[in-house]
């Protein structure tokens, strides 16, 4: 039996359309917190959006990845997928991370991520920022996409 893949998505609005199991961060702060959980572990896939709403961008996460590689202890990540609709931002992220030896794929326009209009399962009476039913607990919310639960870091 195959081990479950570890996947992290950092995007303020989009999610995986196929409902794959993933941990999701909606802000750079939540992304940094989530990334640090994998500091001494392995991530199969890290999906990064450039613009995260308002003045927030992915750059705090990129800086942590860069610093780790500079210190000769890079994160163990199979592939970093940059799925940003911002082509200049995506190219710059890819350039910086490749320089430090990370395997990066620019996936702008990827059909793997998108805005969910499909069915969701109500877990509580509240909704998250995107209007999806959610349960919030200490900066984390759990909701279901196409019947599969995902965890989002929202702090």
């Amino acid at each position: 039996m195959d081990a479950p893949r570890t996947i992290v998505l950092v995007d303020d609005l989009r999610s995986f359309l196929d409902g794959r199991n993933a941990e999701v961060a909606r802000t750079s702060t939540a992304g940094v917190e989530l990334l640090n959980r994998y500091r001494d572990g392995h991530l199969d896939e890290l999906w990064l959006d450039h613009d995260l709403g308002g003045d927030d961008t992915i750059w705090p996460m990129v800086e942590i990845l860069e610093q780790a590689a500079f210190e000769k202890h890079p994160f163990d990540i199979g592939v970093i997928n940059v799925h940003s609709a911002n082509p200049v931002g995506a190219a710059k992220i890819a350039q910086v991370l490749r320089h430090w030896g990370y395997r990066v794929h620019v996936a702008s326009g990827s059909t793997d991520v998108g805005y969910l209009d499909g069915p969701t399962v109500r877990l509580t009476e509240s909704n998250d920022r995107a209007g999806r039913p959610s349960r919030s607990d200490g900066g984390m919310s759990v909701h279901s996409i196409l019947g599969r639960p995902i965890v989002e870091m929202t702090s």
Side-chain angles (χ1 to χ4, degrees):
M1 180 174 192
D2 293 330
R5 296 181 55 76
T6 54
I7 302 171
V8 169
L9 170 72
V10 184
D11 192 304
D12 59 324
L13 298 172
R14 293 174 287 183
S15 296
F16 288 113
L17 295 176
D18 62 4
R20 73 185 73 170
N21 289 327
E23 292 181 271
V24 179
R26 298 295 184 191
T27 66
S28 63
T29 301
V32 165
E33 191 177 315
L34 191 51
L35 183 62
N36 281 328
R37 282 204 236 148
Y38 289 94
R39 183 65 197 103
D40 295 315
H42 173 75
L43 262 175
D44 292 301
E45 300 175 29
L46 175 61
W47 289 73
L48 303 176
D49 183 20
H50 182 277
D51 302 303
L52 299 174
D55 294 332
D56 195 13
T57 68
I58 202 65
W59 284 101
M61 285 189 71
V62 172
E63 290 169 3
I64 286 175
L65 292 163
E66 187 176 24
Q67 182 69 33
F70 174 78
E71 293 171 353
K72 308 284 190 237
H73 187 57
F75 282 80
D76 180 9
I77 302 171
V79 64
I80 299 172
N81 294 292
V82 182
H83 66 277
S84 178
N86 176 336
V88 174
K92 185 67 177 169
I93 292 166
Q95 177 186 14
V96 168
L97 294 177
R98 285 178 182 144
H99 171 80
W100 291 104
Y102 291 102
R103 185 172 158 231
V104 180
H105 176 251
V106 177
S108 297
S110 171
T111 57
D112 289 338
V113 293
Y115 304 98
L116 295 174
D117 295 323
T120 59
V121 175
R122 172 167 243 155
L123 296 177
T124 68
E125 295 299 316
S126 64
N127 291 325
D128 67 9
R129 288 188 343 189
R132 294 181 305 257
S134 66
R135 175 179 66 228
S136 183
D137 181 17
M140 295 176 65
S141 69
V142 179
H143 63 269
S144 176
I145 296 175
L146 302 176
R148 296 185 182 165
I150 66 168
V151 176
E152 293 184 356
M153 297 298 296
T154 56
S155 55

